[in-house]
Amino acid sequence: MLGVGLATTACAPVRTAPAPAGPTAPGAPAAPNGPGTGPSDYVPGRPPPAPITEPGGAVVLRGGTSASLAARQIALTVDDGFCADCVAGYVAFARRSGIHLTFSPNGRYAQAWAPHAAALRPLIGAGQVQIMNHTFNHPTLTRLPAGTIRQELGRNEVWVNRTFETTTLPYYRPPYGRHNAAVDQVAAAEGFNRVVLWDGSYSDSELITPQFLMGQARKYLSPGVIMLGHANHPTVLGLFDQILELIKQRSLTTVTLDELFGTHRPPLPG
């Protein structure tokens, strides 16, 4: 994004074919795409997918609303953050451009996020940036007992509270997009009753070429889309201006999840 170099020591070989849409943490096995784990074949101008309400009050969000389509809104979401340069690049991009972003960081990457906490707090306070829960360690939640799911969400919420002085409630994104009704009920009981998936993706959970990433951007950056990106690999660092120009050309308005769904940040306890 901001001309940061492409050197990295922990990157996979560059992909020129589509990469998995779901996020991949270092040392975690890549999850193959399956139902609910990747973007649908989005058709620009199509009404966004309707939210699905599950038992226990969880609402699964795969895209925006009819109102967001009419308003030409798009929610850019950025997961993980194991690349310190990528986190720095995204934060600088938000500060210089005013673009609205929703970050989904994992507390296990606190070292990459902590240096930017002071810069992000005023953006969060102004409503330009939002933080949602993505668990602390990025596990596959469908393989975990209820107590561990609660611990993953709760530990990440506490880290976000202390680091960014905000709350992630009520939104959470299950790692790899893997969730089921049992997971969602556990999360909802903890206050995380909005399950955020996506219907567009840069497919940058692995290292990809700039040409492929921009192809994904042109395919999916459309009204009503929840777009998935990652602060994990440096390809995007040289493309922020191109992405921003594409957003402007398509007369899109970037919004946070709060702005997309008409919610607001509840006050921190105490």
Side-chain angles (χ1 to χ4, degrees):
M1 281 184 184
L2 294 173
V4 178
L6 294 182
T8 181
T9 59
C11 293
V14 177
R15 292 178 61 95
T16 55
T24 303
N33 285 341
T37 65
S40 59
D41 292 327
Y42 184 80
V43 178
R46 180 200 72 182
I52 300 172
T53 303
E54 294 185 341
V59 178
V60 181
L61 304 168
R62 299 176 183 273
T65 63
S66 295
S68 67
L69 179 65
R72 303 190 66 80
Q73 294 177 331
I74 185 167
L76 304 179
T77 63
V78 183
D79 284 7
D80 307 349
F82 62 73
C83 166
D85 286 345
C86 302
V87 173
Y90 262 111
V91 173
F93 178 45
R95 295 182 72 187
R96 72 177 174 85
S97 70
I99 198 166
H100 287 215
L101 298 171
T102 299
F103 288 118
S104 318
N106 307 105
R108 66 184 288 186
Y109 310 127
Q111 187 173 357
W113 289 94
H116 311 289
L120 283 172
R121 287 181 199 128
L123 303 185
I124 293 168
Q128 179 189 340
V129 168
Q130 182 179 341
I131 309 290
M132 74 167 152
N133 207 314
H134 194 39
T135 73
F136 193 90
N137 287 300
H138 204 283
T140 300
L141 296 179
T142 52
R143 299 175 181 172
L144 301 180
T148 307
I149 295 170
R150 285 192 290 269
Q151 183 181 49
E152 281 289 334
L153 292 169
R155 186 179 179 189
N156 210 52
E157 168 70 2
V158 169
W159 170 67
V160 169
N161 294 168
R162 293 174 176 173
T163 304
F164 304 107
E165 298 179 359
T166 187
T167 177
T168 62
L169 292 165
Y171 296 98
Y172 93 98
R173 170 169 282 157
Y176 313 106
R178 293 294 178 83
H179 72 110
N180 54 31
V183 169
D184 294 343
Q185 287 183 42
V186 172
E190 300 300 306
F192 298 100
N193 61 0
R194 296 293 185 269
V195 188
V196 183
L197 300 181
W198 58 91
D199 57 349
S201 175
Y202 296 133
S203 294
D204 60 350
S205 60
E206 296 183 4
L207 184 62
I208 57 176
T209 64
Q211 294 78 12
F212 181 74
L213 192 151
M214 286 307 302
Q216 292 293 100
R218 286 187 287 271
K219 180 178 181 180
Y220 289 117
L221 290 179
S222 301
V225 164
I226 296 176
M227 190 72 176
L228 172 65
H230 298 84
N232 293 350
H233 297 291
T235 302
V236 73
L237 294 176
L239 301 176
F240 287 142
D241 288 338
Q242 292 183 49
I243 291 170
L244 187 59
E245 182 59 28
L246 183 60
I247 289 169
K248 291 179 178 179
Q249 288 175 359
R250 296 184 175 184
S251 300
L252 301 174
T253 299
T254 59
V255 294
T256 64
L257 294 177
D258 278 337
E259 293 170 314
L260 193 67
F261 296 110
T263 52
H264 60 89
R265 302 292 80 225
L268 291 177

